[in-house]
């Protein structure tokens, strides 16, 4: 389970190390080349200057006696006759053996090169300038040489540079490892806590690191999701418990009736028993139908919708019903909305049922347009709904006490269904203040 963050950490570390090694390696190679070139150019320059002085002295005969050492023993100079006999040297130069066997020809009188001898680790190299003093066949040759520093010969320079590159690459890797580890630490904490939460209880929250960075945002979003999840699960649980509770009452009634009838058939009028059982079954059926409808609203998607003239729909629905109260209508024409006809009919039906049930003498239905919305209001002149109950009536299975005493027929799901339908259509359904009576307002978006 720790694989993922760890692998990001390892991957980033590897990338950093490789990049550091490449960049530093290229730099080191450049440094190596530059050092070698400048050091050798320096050595050669000095050997050339000193060698030419001596060859000039030999040629014009101004050099007599041993060659003076003007470089503190760094540049070694020999004058060598054909045959390899050393005739003159600077004090520190070998007196018997020539430093080089290369004998410049009379047409290329001056040669410079690097002469190496011995085996590692005692290998030595020198920069040599060989000058044939004249073109005459018996001309002497002046060898002017200087040792190449041992760090260039033994590879010490390269080793030092390589060690530096390695150490710096390791440093880069270590820093990356630490930084990425520190960055991913909270992610791991969040993941661990989430795993724990999904296994145990939804009331816990992931740790929120301080600040505004991406990880803090991730933690906040995860917690917001958990909030919604927890309340959704809570609502579902509440709904299931309310639903079972609602179903239990008619089932208990039904059962009591049937038990009584089966135990005392002689005391019971079969017709009455069956009638009462049918009423309980009806009630059960309507509750279950409502519950099913509630579960289905909004699942059809946009395809199930069609253009609907709201005023026409309301007019048809009112004509189809019989009312014991007077119904007034004010309809604007052509208030077109998009919706699922069956559902909007159901919404309207629920509101009209309630209005008919609670009105004293009259009901007013209006369809208008306002602020880019279609508005449908149903107003009755009954007892109204107390401000404190105006949201509560939309909750599932809510029946206000007065309603219970007046009429036990409703399932308490009518307004919950109506609001769910309104929301599935992108609209709202609210109780708005009105006196006397209750006013329900449905707002649906008008298609542009
Ligand atoms: P029911 O099936 O009981 O009618 P509803 O969800 O339709 O359930 O309504 C919930 C409660 O809201 C009703 O029991 C009633 O107390 C209250 N109510 C609904 N409409 C009106 C209204 N027009 N006037 C007064 N009270 C209402």
């Amino acid at each position: 389970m720790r694989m993922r963050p760890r692998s990001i950490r390892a991957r980033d570390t590897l990338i950093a190390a490789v990049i550091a090694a490449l960049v530093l390696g290229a730099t080191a190679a450049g440094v190596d080349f530059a050092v070698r070139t400048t050091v050798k150019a320096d050595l050669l320059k000095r050997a050339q200057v000193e060698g030419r002085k001596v060859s000039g002295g030999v040629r014009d005969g101004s050099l007599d006696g041993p060659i003076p050492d003007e470089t503190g023993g760094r540049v070694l100079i020999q004058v060598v006759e054909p045959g390899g006999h050393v005739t003159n040297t600077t004090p520190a130069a070998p007196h018997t053996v020539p430093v080089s066997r290369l004998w410049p020809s009379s047409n290329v009188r001056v040669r410079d090169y690097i002469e190496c001898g011995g085996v590692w680790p005692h290998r030595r190299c020198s920069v040599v300038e060989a000058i044939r003093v004249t073109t005459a066949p018996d001309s002497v040759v002046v060898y002017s040489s200087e040792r190449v520093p041992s760090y260039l010969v033994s590879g010490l320079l390269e080793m030092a540079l390589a060690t530096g590159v390695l150490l710096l690459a390791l440093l880069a890797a270590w820093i990356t490892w630490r930084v990425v580890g520190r960055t991913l630490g909270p992610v791991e904490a969040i993941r661990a806590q989430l795993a724990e939460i999904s296994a145990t209880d939804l009331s816990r929250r992931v740790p929120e690191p301080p600040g505004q960075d991406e990880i803090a945002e991730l933690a906040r979003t995860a917690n917001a999701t958990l909030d919604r999840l927890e309340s959704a699960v809570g609502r579902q649980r509440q709904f299931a418990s309310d639903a079972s509770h609602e179903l239990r009452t008619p089932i208990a009634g039904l059962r009591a009736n049937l038990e009584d009838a089966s135990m005392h058939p002689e005391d019971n009028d079969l017709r009455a028993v069956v009638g009462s059982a049918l009423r309980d079954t009806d009630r059960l059926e309507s509750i279950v139908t409502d519950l099913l409808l509630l579960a289905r609203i909004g699942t059809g998607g946009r395809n199930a919708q069609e253009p609907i003239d709201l005023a026409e729909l309301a007019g048809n629905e009112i004509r189809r019903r019989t009312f014991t109260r007077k119904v007034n209508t004010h309809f604007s024409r052509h208030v077109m909305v998009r919706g699922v006809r069956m559902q909007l009919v159901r919404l309207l039906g629920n509101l009209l049922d309630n209005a008919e049930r609670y009105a004293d003498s009259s009901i007013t239905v209006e369809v208008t347009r306002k602020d880019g919305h279609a508005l449908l209001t149903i107003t009755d002149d009954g007892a109204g709904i107390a401000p404190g109950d105006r949201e509560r009536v939309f909750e599932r299975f809510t029946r206000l006490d007065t309603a219970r005493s007046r009429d036990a027929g409703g399932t308490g799901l009518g307004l919950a269904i109506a609001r769910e339908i309104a929301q599935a259509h992108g609209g709202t359904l609210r109780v708005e203040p009105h006196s006397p009576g209750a006013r329900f307002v449905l707002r649906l978006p008008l298609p542009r």
Side-chain angles (χ1 to χ4, degrees):
M1 277 198 290
R2 296 173 79 87
M3 272 311 280
R4 200 164 163 72
R6 288 301 169 263
S7 84
I8 287 180
R9 196 181 188 187
R11 198 171 62 208
D12 287 1
T13 303
L14 191 70
I15 291 172
V18 167
I19 290 176
L22 287 179
V23 171
L24 293 168
T27 313
V31 167
D32 185 56
F33 180 75
V35 168
R36 278 182 177 278
T37 338
T38 44
V39 168
K40 282 183 186 161
D42 256 22
L43 297 177
L44 187 64
K45 186 93 195 242
R46 216 166 17 237
Q48 276 171 349
V49 169
E50 297 305 316
R52 271 163 209 188
K53 263 193 251 168
V54 172
S55 88
V58 171
R59 198 181 305 123
D60 61 20
S62 62
L63 181 84
D64 50 353
I67 305 167
D69 179 6
E70 289 173 2
T71 57
R74 293 172 65 179
V75 178
L76 306 177
I77 302 175
Q78 293 177 320
V79 179
V80 182
E81 289 180 336
H85 179 59
V86 179
T87 58
N88 198 356
T89 67
T90 46
H95 298 287
T96 50
V97 188
V99 293
S100 175
R101 297 246 161 249
L102 193 138
W103 200 260
S105 62
S106 46
N107 37 6
V108 189
R109 280 178 43 241
V110 180
R111 303 280 297 271
D112 47 60
Y113 51 94
I114 289 177
E115 177 102 8
C116 291
V119 281
W120 195 86
H122 301 295
R123 188 174 160 81
R124 291 179 171 181
C125 291
S126 295
V127 171
V128 181
E129 167 100 344
I131 307 167
R132 189 185 175 112
V133 176
T134 67
T135 51
D138 59 347
S139 169
V140 296
V141 168
V142 173
Y143 290 107
S144 167
S145 69
E146 183 168 350
R147 282 270 301 280
V148 176
S150 62
Y151 67 85
L152 289 187
V153 179
S154 64
L156 190 68
L157 176 66
E158 284 73 20
M159 248 144 66
L161 286 171
T163 313
V165 168
L166 195 72
L167 287 179
L168 286 175
L170 282 178
L171 181 70
W174 180 75
I175 292 174
T176 312
W177 179 261
R178 293 293 305 264
V179 168
V180 175
R182 183 166 301 175
T183 312
L184 290 183
V187 174
E188 170 58 16
I190 292 168
R191 189 208 59 77
Q193 186 69 10
L194 270 181
E196 183 86 8
I197 289 168
S198 50
T200 54
D201 70 315
L202 284 174
S203 66
R204 291 167 55 175
R205 293 293 174 267
V206 302
E208 285 186 18
Q212 301 288 320
D213 62 16
E214 290 85 344
I215 294 176
E217 285 300 319
L218 169 71
R220 264 193 285 283
T221 310
N223 280 343
T225 308
L226 284 171
D227 282 344
R228 279 199 300 278
L229 210 59
E230 187 188 11
S231 67
V233 168
R235 272 200 311 276
Q236 287 296 325
R237 200 169 285 149
Q238 184 62 41
F239 178 59
S241 119
D242 289 348
S244 335
H245 190 79
E246 286 298 316
L247 291 172
R248 235 180 24 216
T249 316
I251 290 174
L254 188 59
R255 185 185 181 94
N257 256 336
L258 293 176
E259 266 175 5
D260 190 45
S262 84
M263 271 159 49
H264 312 287
E266 65 289 351
D267 298 347
N268 278 287
D269 171 9
L270 185 64
R271 289 178 80 87
V273 171
V274 170
S276 151
L278 275 176
R279 272 194 303 283
D280 284 334
T281 315
D282 280 349
R283 179 151 178 74
L284 279 172
E285 197 181 351
S286 58
I287 292 177
V288 170
T289 311
D290 279 0
L291 285 175
L292 266 178
L293 178 70
L294 253 179
R296 282 210 198 105
I297 294 167
T299 57
R302 296 244 140 219
N303 295 342
Q305 299 192 346
E306 55 182 306
I308 292 168
D309 185 331
L310 203 56
E312 192 185 294
L313 185 100
N316 288 344
E317 191 56 23
I318 291 167
R319 263 190 305 280
R320 213 172 55 78
R321 289 164 173 262
T322 44
F323 289 91
T324 56
R325 332 276 183 201
K326 179 169 163 21
V327 180
N328 307 308
T329 56
H330 302 286
F331 292 161
S332 297
R333 288 177 3 120
H334 298 306
V335 180
M336 299 297 291
V337 296
R338 279 191 67 80
V340 183
R341 184 175 294 275
M342 284 282 297
Q343 292 184 356
L344 290 181
V345 166
R346 177 66 193 249
L347 187 164
L348 202 63
N350 287 2
L351 295 182
L352 288 174
D353 280 348
N354 282 346
E356 161 75 6
R357 196 178 300 155
Y358 299 106
D360 271 344
S361 61
S362 74
I363 303 168
T364 307
V365 181
E366 284 175 280
V367 174
T368 51
R369 264 187 230 95
K370 198 182 169 193
D371 307 331
H373 281 84
L375 237 60
L376 182 137
T377 47
I378 298 187
T379 315
D380 65 63
D381 60 353
I385 300 174
D389 290 327
R390 281 180 191 158
E391 269 306 300
R392 209 158 70 79
V393 289
F394 291 103
E395 286 168 19
R396 294 162 180 193
F397 300 117
T398 297
R399 267 175 247 123
L400 304 180
D401 285 344
T402 50
R404 261 185 210 280
S405 49
R406 280 176 73 162
D407 183 336
T411 60
L413 287 170
L415 287 178
I417 290 172
R419 178 170 264 187
E420 202 83 31
I421 292 173
Q423 287 171 349
H425 284 76
T428 58
L429 176 63
R430 278 197 283 264
V431 178
E432 293 194 350
H434 186 258
S435 181
R439 163 172 284 176
F440 285 84
V441 181
L442 167 72
R443 268 190 189 74
L444 292 178
L446 285 171
R448 255 167 276 147

